[in-house]
Amino acid sequence: MRNLTLTIDGQKVTVPENYTIIQAAEKIGIEIPALCYDPNLEVVSACRLCVVEVEGVNKLQTSCSIKVEDGMVVHTNTEKVLAIRKEILQLLLDNHPNDCLTCQKAGECLLQRYAYTYNVKFREHDGARKEHIVDTSSPYILKDEDKCILCGKCVRTCAQVSDRAVLSFAQRGFDTKIVADADLSFEESSCVSCNRCVTVCPVGALLDKRIIGKSRIWDGEVEEVRCKVCDYGCDFEVLTKNNKKVAVRAKSPSNGRPLCLKGRLTSELLYLDNPQEPYKKEDGKFVKTTWKEALGLGDVLDKINSIDDK
Ligand code: SF4
Ligand code: SF4
Ligand code: SF4
């Protein structure tokens, strides 16, 4: 593949010709903000926060989708670019709950980070607000609709695994929202609690329910562990607070790793000091279950016991 050289904010960078501007910028340490972009997902250019100015082009360009060109000159922080970014963030924050103090996502939330970077405040303007609808039906995931910024990452990541595609956009305009199946609760839906969607949500709209209230990112240490349940080897993080291992959470499912509930529960059982009881879905309802059943170890343990008895 050919390499091309372009200039971004005065710095020259040489990258393969299939790179986009945002990837080239990242290579030289220039962070372009983006809410809907994820290198592991299909590019949709929906949030438009990543716009940049390209010399010789009249319109602002979305850096997540525009491929680099030889000799291209890009500016990522001009007055025009900053004004647009602030406008987009203000629109989001005018209709967003001012909940950073208690939000589980605080400290890792991209909206919070960009609001700080671009000095944009909550609810500067009056107007219609989203309803506060929270789906608490799953013991594994909490869905808080009024924090959703409709980036669609959850929809795209769920659909990456065949037979899942549980999430989609529903309704239109101001009423647009993310739904599970035909607008069912997580409990009623076909969701398999893999938590892929939680790992990619840039805000606190989808949260890992088993972590809430236990630790936020600045509270303790994070140790990476690799699941050994199957050959994919998905990555999980073990969170430690006050010398206690308090929670396990799934890491981004890059490289096609599917993530699954069994892998996550196995990691909880192996690493946590006080693992919470597991749940399984039975006829569309979550019910508490035993570790033996949750991890599918019944037959294996029975066989071991029968061998031991002999
Ligand atoms: S989702 Fe982000 S911006 Fe919204 S309340 Fe939580 S931390 Fe704050
Ligand atoms: S937990 Fe997994 S299956 Fe359920 S909605 Fe999220 S990505 Fe889809
Ligand atoms: S739930 Fe999260 S990932 Fe899904 S669209 Fe809303 S903000 Fe994006």
Side-chain angles (χ1 to χ4, degrees):
M1 191 175 295
R2 252 187 346 140
N3 278 338
L4 304 175
T5 298
L6 65 158
T7 306
I8 306 178
D9 293 345
Q11 289 187 63
K12 284 219 179 314
V13 56
T14 301
V15 291
E17 61 184 343
N18 65 345
Y19 265 45
T20 55
I21 295 173
I22 203 169
Q23 289 172 312
E26 197 188 348
K27 195 172 172 211
I28 45 173
I30 295 174
E31 187 196 351
I32 299 178
L35 287 164
C36 68
Y37 170 74
D38 182 320
N40 298 307
L41 299 174
E42 182 200 342
V43 172
V44 291
S45 309
C47 75
R48 309 199 70 78
L49 209 56
C50 72
V51 288
V52 293
E53 278 196 70
V54 176
E55 282 188 15
V57 182
N58 277 341
K59 275 169 48 180
L60 292 177
Q61 303 290 294
T62 47
S63 61
C64 66
S65 63
I66 300 293
K67 291 268 191 306
V68 295
E69 284 175 25
D70 213 22
M72 193 181 226
V73 180
V74 179
H75 302 281
T76 72
N77 263 318
T78 61
E79 262 179 46
K80 198 167 157 189
V81 164
L82 295 186
I84 289 285
R85 285 190 192 145
K86 277 170 98 99
E87 216 172 284
I88 293 168
L89 290 168
Q90 191 63 67
L91 278 171
L92 291 171
L93 287 169
D94 278 345
N95 187 17
H96 193 90
N98 183 351
D99 190 28
C100 293
L101 292 183
T102 54
C103 183
Q104 180 65 35
K105 193 76 176 185
E108 299 172 280
C109 172
L110 279 186
L111 184 59
Q112 186 190 47
R113 176 154 142 216
Y114 297 150
Y116 179 79
T117 307
Y118 295 94
N119 191 24
V120 182
K121 313 261 187 264
F122 279 109
R123 302 196 164 181
E124 289 282 285
H125 307 101
D126 286 331
R129 305 262 196 251
K130 276 195 218 159
E131 260 185 277
H132 183 56
I133 300 174
V134 184
D135 177 1
T136 58
S137 66
S138 162
Y140 297 111
I141 299 170
L142 184 131
K143 179 164 168 265
D144 190 341
E145 281 187 20
D146 63 351
K147 287 184 184 164
C148 177
I149 55 165
L150 299 173
C151 68
K153 281 183 182 177
C154 55
V155 176
R156 281 173 278 151
T157 201
C158 185
Q160 272 183 335
V161 181
S162 56
D163 297 336
R164 290 192 192 164
V166 176
L167 301 174
S168 60
F169 286 95
Q171 302 191 17
R172 313 183 81 172
F174 182 79
D175 296 321
T176 307
K177 59 179 186 170
I178 300 296
V179 295
D181 294 335
D183 204 358
L184 302 177
S185 68
F186 268 121
E187 183 174 54
E188 298 160 315
S189 75
S190 55
C191 169
V192 295
S193 309
C194 68
N195 273 31
R196 278 175 81 89
C197 52
V198 174
T199 67
V200 297
C201 182
V203 293
L206 287 171
L207 292 171
D208 184 328
K209 208 162 158 195
R210 280 159 94 85
I211 294 185
I212 294 175
K214 288 191 180 151
S215 178
R216 285 196 282 186
I217 194 65
W218 59 79
D219 274 341
E221 289 100 57
V222 179
E223 181 200 347
E224 222 173 272
V225 293
R226 183 151 287 178
C227 177
K228 296 183 184 67
V229 169
C230 79
D231 286 347
Y232 283 112
C234 295
D235 294 324
F236 290 86
E237 288 177 339
V238 180
L239 312 186
T240 301
K241 186 176 173 181
N242 301 331
N243 295 321
K244 280 210 155 55
K245 293 189 176 4
V246 291
V248 163
R249 66 178 187 178
K251 275 201 74 179
S252 156
S254 50
N255 303 326
R257 292 178 175 138
L259 286 176
C260 72
L261 182 58
K262 187 171 170 185
R264 181 248 171 82
L265 288 174
T266 304
S267 305
E268 285 190 14
L269 188 64
L270 283 177
Y271 298 105
L272 296 191
D273 285 311
N274 276 313
Q276 250 176 283
E277 63 277 341
Y279 287 78
K280 66 168 186 177
K281 253 192 212 178
E282 231 174 54
D283 302 327
K285 289 267 166 235
F286 278 110
V287 289
K288 273 187 200 171
T289 185
T290 60
W291 284 102
K292 196 167 110 176
E293 237 188 288
L295 304 184
L297 296 175
D299 293 346
V300 178
L301 291 176
D302 290 346
K303 182 89 186 210
I304 291 172
N305 287 338
S306 79
I307 292 170
D308 284 350
D309 287 346
K310 278 183 204 158

